[in-house]
Amino acid sequence: MSLTTSSATPDDLVPELLQEYGEVTRVALCDYLGPREPQRHLYTLVADYPQRGGRMLRPSLCIAAARAFGAAREDAVQTAVALELMHNAFLVHDDVEDESETRRGQPTLHVLHGVDVAVNVGDALTLLGLRALLDNARTLGPWLTLRVLEEAERMARETVEGQAIELGWRRDNAVHPSEADYLHMVLKKTCWYTTLFPCRAGALIGTRGRIDPDRFLQFGFFLGAAFQITDDLLNLVGDEARYGKELSGDLWEGKRTLMLIRLLERATPDEQLRLRSILATPRTGRSRTDVAWMRARMDAHGCIEHARRTAHAMAGAARHEFELLFAQVPDGRDRRFVEALIGWVLART
Amino acid sequence: MDHVKRPKLVRTQPIRRWATLFEGATGQTDAGPAPDGAPGAGDATLGDMLSRSVQIGYRVVDEYVRQGQKAAARLSRGTPTEGLAGDVQDFNLRLMQHTSELFGVWFDFVDRYVAGGLVPRAAAPSGNGAAPAPVPPAGTSTPVRVHVVSPWPTEVTVDLRPGTSGATLVVQALRAVEPEKPRLDGVRFEPGTADAPPQLRVRVPATQPPGVYHGLLVDAATSVPAGTVSVRVSHDE
């Protein structure tokens, strides 16, 4: 049953809509994940990551934004499905690039089936996402379908460019990225497909294309940055069972998080030498002692606390931008959901 | 019955100072980099640190927008635009150009989509098991009578998919590639009858700027594009 009114508190509203819109998306997702040939090395594996669960933040935000701006829920479901498929495609490829070992509590796809098969599965997920976007034509008409498709193309392009920046830092063992560099990378790598595209596409669908999507840049950036910094924090201090990825995996990978960038800025000369040496070593060459040492130095220099406060600052700015952006949007469950997400991204465990 | 009323707010618009959003923040918004952001720092230092982070955040977005403007200026065919409004205008121009160019591609896609059996599972007719409607063979032309009322020399091109002459078609407002030009909305499609072909009525107002205006013909029953209309308005007598 679709609920149109809710007395849920902000704390309850986010899980409530994530559950409701997530379920709608999962059902629609099944149309694209049905058993087909070749099953063993492709379509069975294509369904693997989506079936492992996930919070369905992105599709839910897309549907909520569309509804807040006046669309019927069904108008945004195809786009939400496309986003979830592309999100899973990014995850599969990310895991290969990062040499990650677990995803959503289970071994990553390339660990289970090999890099070659995993990369192909990621490609297939991207193409299925494209198919879902084309299927928008049934409900949105040709013009709006093209408009959403163009947004999706930009989202994908920004995301891979952001990923390239981060991979480049690791490949070149960059030790001088600043906080601004980090936020720029996050804007492209995370914000575009986690918050910007869901809001922009949703608002375009809700207004039938009568809104300038660039209005969402500030809000989407600050919300996405709060999300990413919190995600990076959870990698260091979270509950591994709930987090679903290996704890301290970012340190093993040498990922340039805000905490590591802070440590590179604050470390003493001796610490700098050791830190650069560890980061110059391939992942397989790093020891538990190295990772534990980096983690301890982060605590000693207040890097964790700095990142936590920065995440809160980003969330505060997001709330400010939300008030500007949604001032004219009528109050309702979807508007309140988007607002409540700001606190939710910080409170995740 | 007395109603509880909220006191009238002093502010008349959203307060743009981010620092007021945080309890305990100092409200300073233009402080430089914090000398020490380590735990245990006082409230003022915490506020400074947060202020600096948000300032960096805004600078990152501003720089991102500025780079987008530069890229758009490079891509635009006309005079480089300035400012965010110019950037958006340029973006719209490019969007319109892409849309116009894609009309042909889209039309071809829909033609294949319907005629070529490429209808996906989710889009297939449900329940009655009916076979797809037969599609006339490619190359079958559909005559259309065009009726034009215009104070300017006007050229009309209609590209109608075969087999749609009896359908109820809706003409979307025609757009020029230049976003500042008004849409041409005086275009109507009247379905054909047994005795007469379908008719396209085009009315061009005297105030319509010269240019080429494009639009889609959409089947009102299925929302599937059925053709395109292009109207070239010239102010040369």
Side-chain angles (χ1 to χ4, degrees):
Chain A
M1 186 177 72
S2 173
L3 300 174
T4 53
T5 59
S6 173
S7 58
T9 65
D11 285 346
D12 297 333
L13 188 60
V14 172
E16 181 181 305
L17 259 73
L18 287 177
Q19 168 71 26
E20 182 183 333
Y21 292 162
E23 192 57 33
V24 169
T25 307
R26 281 192 196 94
V27 169
L29 203 57
C30 291
D31 282 344
Y32 298 89
L33 300 177
R36 271 182 284 175
E37 292 297 336
Q39 280 195 45
R40 186 176 165 209
H41 294 302
L42 185 61
Y43 286 108
T44 301
L45 309 184
V46 159
D48 185 343
Y49 274 20
Q51 286 175 345
R52 293 188 187 188
R55 293 187 171 92
M56 306 299 269
L57 165 65
R58 296 162 187 84
S60 299
L61 179 55
C62 181
I63 294 173
R67 282 178 53 84
F69 281 91
R73 191 178 67 184
E74 290 67 29
D75 287 349
V77 168
Q78 284 300 124
T79 307
V81 165
L83 183 54
E84 188 60 16
L85 287 165
M86 290 183 170
H87 169 52
N88 280 280
F90 291 148
L91 292 183
V92 172
H93 286 180
D94 271 8
D95 287 342
V96 172
E97 292 159 8
D98 296 345
E99 301 175 58
S100 299
E101 293 174 354
T102 58
R103 168 70 63 186
R104 292 172 179 162
Q106 297 176 41
T108 49
L109 207 63
H110 69 276
V111 167
L112 290 171
H113 305 283
V115 168
D116 49 356
V117 170
V119 168
N120 195 48
V121 167
D123 291 343
L125 281 161
T126 304
L127 294 171
L128 287 169
L130 187 59
R131 175 72 262 168
L133 287 170
L134 289 171
D135 286 346
N136 261 333
R138 300 200 306 269
T139 50
L140 303 185
W143 189 85
L144 196 50
T145 297
L146 284 176
R147 189 69 193 83
V148 172
L149 191 59
E150 184 165 69
E151 281 293 316
E153 182 272 333
R154 182 168 181 197
M155 173 269 287
R157 179 162 43 84
E158 297 277 1
T159 305
V160 296
E161 287 175 5
Q163 180 76 350
I165 292 171
E166 189 182 47
L167 291 174
W169 286 346
R170 272 187 271 171
R171 171 63 64 92
D172 302 338
N173 194 25
V175 290
H176 297 299
S178 65
E179 189 170 321
D181 294 329
Y182 168 81
L183 291 174
H184 177 244
M185 182 273 292
V186 166
L187 166 61
K188 294 172 81 70
K189 192 196 86 167
T190 303
C191 301
W192 260 97
Y193 91 105
T194 301
T195 49
L196 277 166
F197 175 77
C199 286
R200 289 164 67 102
L204 281 169
I205 293 167
T207 62
R208 311 303 284 186
R210 295 186 195 90
I211 194 168
D212 173 11
D214 281 348
R215 291 172 56 189
F216 290 90
L217 264 179
Q218 279 81 5
F219 171 69
F221 163 68
F222 284 117
L223 180 60
F227 175 88
Q228 182 62 63
I229 295 168
T230 304
D231 205 52
D232 291 345
L233 279 166
L234 287 172
N235 187 275
L236 296 181
V237 300
D239 176 342
E240 185 163 1
R242 291 178 66 102
Y243 181 57
K245 287 187 274 190
E246 57 193 323
L247 223 49
S248 294
D250 290 348
L251 291 180
W252 283 100
E253 293 159 16
K255 186 176 168 186
R256 267 54 174 179
T257 61
L258 191 59
M259 294 77 78
L260 184 59
I261 288 170
R262 183 74 166 178
L263 180 57
L264 284 162
E265 289 172 354
R266 293 293 172 119
T268 64
D270 287 345
E271 289 171 342
Q272 287 269 0
L273 283 175
R274 181 169 178 186
L275 190 52
R276 291 180 189 206
S277 169
I278 294 172
L279 291 174
T281 307
R283 175 185 172 129
T284 49
R286 286 178 198 138
S287 67
R288 290 192 179 280
T289 309
D290 292 335
V291 170
W293 180 81
M294 285 196 287
R295 180 68 180 79
R297 289 296 87 202
M298 284 180 174
D299 278 336
H301 288 288
C303 305
I304 305 290
E305 196 56 29
H306 170 74
R308 201 189 308 278
R309 287 173 174 170
T310 303
H312 278 77
M314 297 294 118
R319 187 175 299 282
H320 172 66
E321 292 296 336
F322 173 86
E323 288 177 5
L324 296 175
L325 195 59
F326 285 76
Q328 306 301 321
V329 176
D331 186 32
R333 203 167 59 127
D334 295 284
R335 184 187 188 279
R336 276 180 271 130
F337 167 75
V338 177
E339 184 178 18
L341 275 181
I342 300 165
W344 178 83
V345 298
L346 297 176
R348 289 177 302 141
T349 56
Chain B
M1 178 180 167
D2 290 336
H3 294 280
V4 177
K5 293 182 180 175
R6 294 168 57 186
K8 191 171 182 179
L9 296 173
V10 176
R11 64 181 170 93
T12 56
Q13 58 184 354
I15 299 171
R16 294 195 68 95
R17 294 196 311 275
W18 71 270
T20 59
L21 298 167
F22 305 98
E23 289 183 12
T26 63
Q28 296 175 8
T29 59
D30 55 354
D36 185 1
D43 283 348
T45 305
L46 171 61
D48 290 347
M49 189 282 287
L50 296 178
S51 177
R52 178 175 162 274
S53 293
V54 175
Q55 282 180 343
I56 291 171
Y58 273 110
R59 280 209 304 273
V60 166
V61 179
D62 289 346
E63 175 63 17
Y64 177 79
V65 171
R66 198 181 63 76
Q67 289 181 3
Q69 284 178 262
K70 285 173 64 179
R74 281 198 306 273
L75 290 170
S76 70
R77 295 172 185 171
T79 308
T81 52
E82 292 182 2
L84 184 57
D87 179 50
V88 172
Q89 190 178 50
D90 184 70
F91 172 75
N92 286 337
L93 173 62
R94 284 186 291 116
L95 172 63
M96 290 302 299
Q97 286 169 337
H98 294 162
T99 305
S100 297
E101 289 162 6
L102 281 166
F103 271 170
V105 178
W106 178 258
F107 187 54
D108 183 50
F109 161 72
V110 170
D111 211 29
R112 292 162 183 260
Y113 188 77
V114 174
L118 297 176
V119 180
R121 276 174 299 114
S126 59
N128 58 12
V135 177
T140 306
S141 62
T142 302
V144 178
R145 178 175 293 160
V146 179
H147 183 262
V148 180
V149 177
S150 173
W152 306 107
T154 300
E155 181 182 314
V156 179
T157 306
V158 186
D159 186 2
L160 192 61
R161 187 159 61 83
T164 52
S165 59
T168 301
L169 302 183
V170 177
V171 186
Q172 297 187 336
L174 274 58
R175 301 160 182 257
V177 293
E178 302 89 349
E180 70 275 10
K181 288 186 179 177
R183 296 180 187 184
L184 180 58
D185 54 10
V187 184
R188 300 284 180 272
F189 189 88
E190 296 173 2
T193 64
D195 304 322
Q199 187 164 216
L200 188 77
R201 290 186 174 274
V202 179
R203 181 179 293 274
V204 180
T207 55
Q208 196 73 32
V212 181
Y213 299 84
H214 301 284
L216 273 184
L217 283 160
V218 178
D219 189 325
T222 62
S223 295
V224 172
T228 59
V229 181
S230 297
V231 176
R232 180 186 297 275
V233 179
S234 171
H235 281 197
D236 299 328
E237 294 294 343

